[in-house]
Amino acid sequence: MRSLRTGLSLTSLVTSLVAGCALLLAAPAAQAADTPLRDLGAAKGKVVGTAVTGSKLTGTYGDLAGAQFSSLTPGNAMKWGSVEPTQGSFNWTEADQIVAFAQAHNQQVRGHTLVWHSQNPSWLTNGSWTSAQLSTLLQNHISTEVGRYKGKLAAWDVVNEPFNEDGTYRSTLWYNGLGADYIANALTWARAADPAAKLYINDYNVEGVNAKSTALYNLVKSLKDRGVPIDGVGLQAHLILGQVPATFQQNIQRFADLGVDVAITELDIRMTLPSDSAKLAQQKADYKAVTAACVAVARCVNLTVWGFTDSDSWVESTFPGQGAATPYDANYAPKPAYYGIAEALGGTSTPPPTGACTASYSVGSQWNTGFTGNVTISCSGASLSSWKVTWTYGAGQQITQAWNAGCTQSGAAVSCVNASYNGTVPDGGSVSFGFNASWSGSNPVPTVTLG
């Protein structure tokens, strides 16, 4: 549904005092040896997916996206404004990249989205179209995009967000110009372009039984009665902490009883920032409840989170003061929410032990104006897929050069993150990085800070 954005948070922290120097290691991606979510889901007959940003599918982000999930949804790359920003001029670069990544990692792709009131190109929204012209534009768009990926995508969110909260049709370019049958036509055109892809109508605030979900229910029933191709409904599930609808499973079941599949398509559960242990525990319970509701209904076939890491979430930019909505924090550490999903899928996941990864700081050599430092990160009982180390200098020391890490310094605060090639620290292994720094007069022990 929404755009993805970048944020920042910090995760489990391990302090180590070595060689007389206080150092803080942020262990951002300590992973217990757990069964990946995609495998837990497969054992329950469920596809577990995530929305992704194509440009980020490298490094730790790419590793986790490929290992943990069996389905990918392009966050923005397949929306009309992305693929045809200028009429007749197409840009498939990011969409193709995501499809290729999914093929390489034995994943499905969920196309998102063909017909929506938002993120359309300005040439379309600002144009003056007759109904016939608008119908032709829509049919050509669906035929072109679905046809391009024929045989490569498992499903399409064909129509996105057609209803108001009271169950009436949303006033949009499509409804105003073509009437309610734009939905039936879009589904029919999509089926013609790729007969094998599953076709969905997708909406938000339809997770529980209410006026909006009942309107969606009645529409799907009507479409099926008319013989219009409709294979499933998507419940977006952009939820608020502690507010999982009590009728979630009942609602999934009533759609399933119509003879269609149900997908939870855009799951995130936002909270008022900052997060704390109580909020994270509630979030875990909420993720577990949503997943359990899907597990309980055979025709709930897909559970997709809308970005798996807080650094790739749309929430903070859209809901000021709220965030921390995904199963992984911004440093790729699994949050309690991750384990809530895993447990509902029958997993026995446990967080990595505290203190399993540590960092040691040492001064290799020192002269009257500078010194060479070294940091070694070691793990025993857990592993890292990325890392970040921070400390605060106490006497004006200034890093001038670093190797095997990306180091930045703001005032006295230093932050170093792994390079692209050394983020992984296996259980029982270690990695090191070094730096040159200047000093004058004294070179005291740095002060531990939360960086």
Side-chain angles (χ1 to χ4, degrees):
M1 173 184 127
R2 305 301 186 196
S3 300
L4 307 176
R5 73 178 293 271
T6 300
L8 181 64
S9 67
L10 211 55
T11 59
S12 57
L13 303 169
V14 185
T15 56
S16 174
L17 298 178
V18 181
C21 179
L23 185 70
L24 178 109
L25 167 67
Q31 303 283 338
D34 300 320
T35 304
L37 295 179
R38 63 185 290 170
D39 295 340
L40 293 174
K44 295 287 186 180
K46 312 299 177 185
V47 173
V48 181
T50 182
V52 292
T53 300
S55 61
K56 296 183 178 181
L57 286 171
T58 60
T60 302
Y61 182 98
D63 291 344
L64 289 173
Q68 288 289 336
F69 302 99
S70 50
S71 175
L72 301 182
T73 301
N76 291 298
M78 289 187 177
K79 292 169 181 172
W80 199 331
S82 297
V83 300
E84 194 182 4
T86 303
Q87 187 172 11
S89 178
F90 296 92
N91 181 359
W92 305 105
T93 302
E94 186 185 0
D96 287 352
Q97 179 185 19
I98 292 169
V99 171
F101 182 95
Q103 291 174 334
H105 292 81
N106 192 29
Q107 295 168 305
Q108 296 181 4
V109 177
R110 183 180 191 86
H112 181 83
T113 179
L114 295 170
V115 189
W116 192 25
H117 65 270
S118 186
Q119 289 185 244
N120 289 313
S122 59
W123 65 262
L124 176 64
T125 57
N126 295 335
S128 297
W129 313 107
T130 66
S131 292
Q133 289 172 328
L134 197 59
S135 180
T136 298
L137 285 168
L138 184 57
Q139 181 176 6
N140 288 344
H141 170 68
I142 292 172
S143 300
T144 299
E145 184 158 12
V146 177
R148 179 179 181 83
Y149 297 108
K150 181 180 179 180
K152 297 180 179 180
L153 268 61
W156 278 99
D157 292 326
V158 178
V159 177
N160 200 40
E161 301 174 3
F163 290 109
N164 295 313
E165 297 305 298
D166 63 359
T168 58
Y169 282 103
R170 185 191 292 269
S171 176
T172 68
L173 174 69
W174 310 114
Y175 180 77
N176 297 340
L178 300 174
D181 257 0
Y182 83 88
I183 297 172
N185 290 335
L187 291 162
T188 300
W189 295 330
R191 175 55 46 85
D194 187 351
K198 300 292 186 180
L199 308 181
Y200 282 71
I201 301 173
N202 191 51
D203 215 327
Y204 66 94
N205 289 350
V206 292
E207 294 75 34
V209 176
N210 57 36
K212 192 174 187 180
S213 65
T214 297
L216 179 59
Y217 176 91
N218 290 335
L219 170 63
V220 172
K221 185 176 186 302
S222 172
L223 292 170
K224 286 189 67 67
D225 289 344
R226 294 167 55 190
V228 176
I230 173 72
D231 300 303
V233 294
L235 315 180
Q236 290 183 9
H238 293 293
L239 302 175
I240 300 171
L241 190 72
Q243 297 185 25
V244 177
T247 53
F248 205 143
Q249 183 178 327
Q250 175 190 343
N251 193 43
I252 295 173
Q253 186 65 60
R254 71 168 175 163
F255 280 106
D257 290 343
L258 283 178
V260 296
D261 292 336
V262 177
I264 297 169
T265 53
E266 305 181 22
L267 175 62
D268 52 31
I269 302 175
R270 62 187 184 270
M271 65 182 70
T272 300
L273 298 174
S275 65
D276 57 35
S277 58
K279 293 175 186 176
L280 291 172
Q282 179 63 56
Q283 188 183 52
K284 176 184 178 180
D286 291 346
Y287 267 97
K288 187 172 183 178
V290 170
T291 307
C294 184
V295 169
V297 181
R299 294 202 71 153
C300 184
V301 296
N302 183 306
L303 177 83
T304 289
V305 293
W306 200 246
F308 63 89
T309 168
D310 290 341
S311 67
D312 199 36
S313 173
W314 70 296
V315 169
E316 289 186 31
S317 64
T318 308
F319 301 97
Q322 299 183 61
T326 76
Y328 283 79
D329 72 13
N331 291 313
Y332 304 117
K335 291 153 58 178
Y338 169 93
Y339 298 103
I341 297 171
E343 289 168 11
L345 292 172
T348 56
S349 303
T350 54
T354 301
C357 295
T358 60
S360 62
Y361 177 112
S362 61
V363 175
S365 59
Q366 181 172 301
W367 54 98
N368 60 346
T369 60
F371 65 97
T372 297
N374 184 77
V375 175
T376 298
I377 301 160
S378 305
C379 289
S380 178
S383 62
L384 298 176
S385 56
S386 66
W387 46 261
K388 177 182 179 182
V389 181
T390 64
W391 66 91
T392 300
Y393 278 126
Q397 298 99 318
Q398 183 72 39
I399 289 183
T400 57
Q401 179 188 18
W403 49 92
N404 298 329
C407 292
T408 58
Q409 183 169 348
S410 178
V414 178
S415 176
C416 297
V417 299
N418 60 273
S420 61
Y421 51 83
N422 66 352
T424 300
V425 185
D427 187 0
S430 65
V431 299
S432 297
F433 67 91
F435 55 89
N436 290 328
S438 61
W439 69 289
S440 178
S442 64
N443 193 7
V445 174
T447 301
V448 174
T449 60
L450 186 63

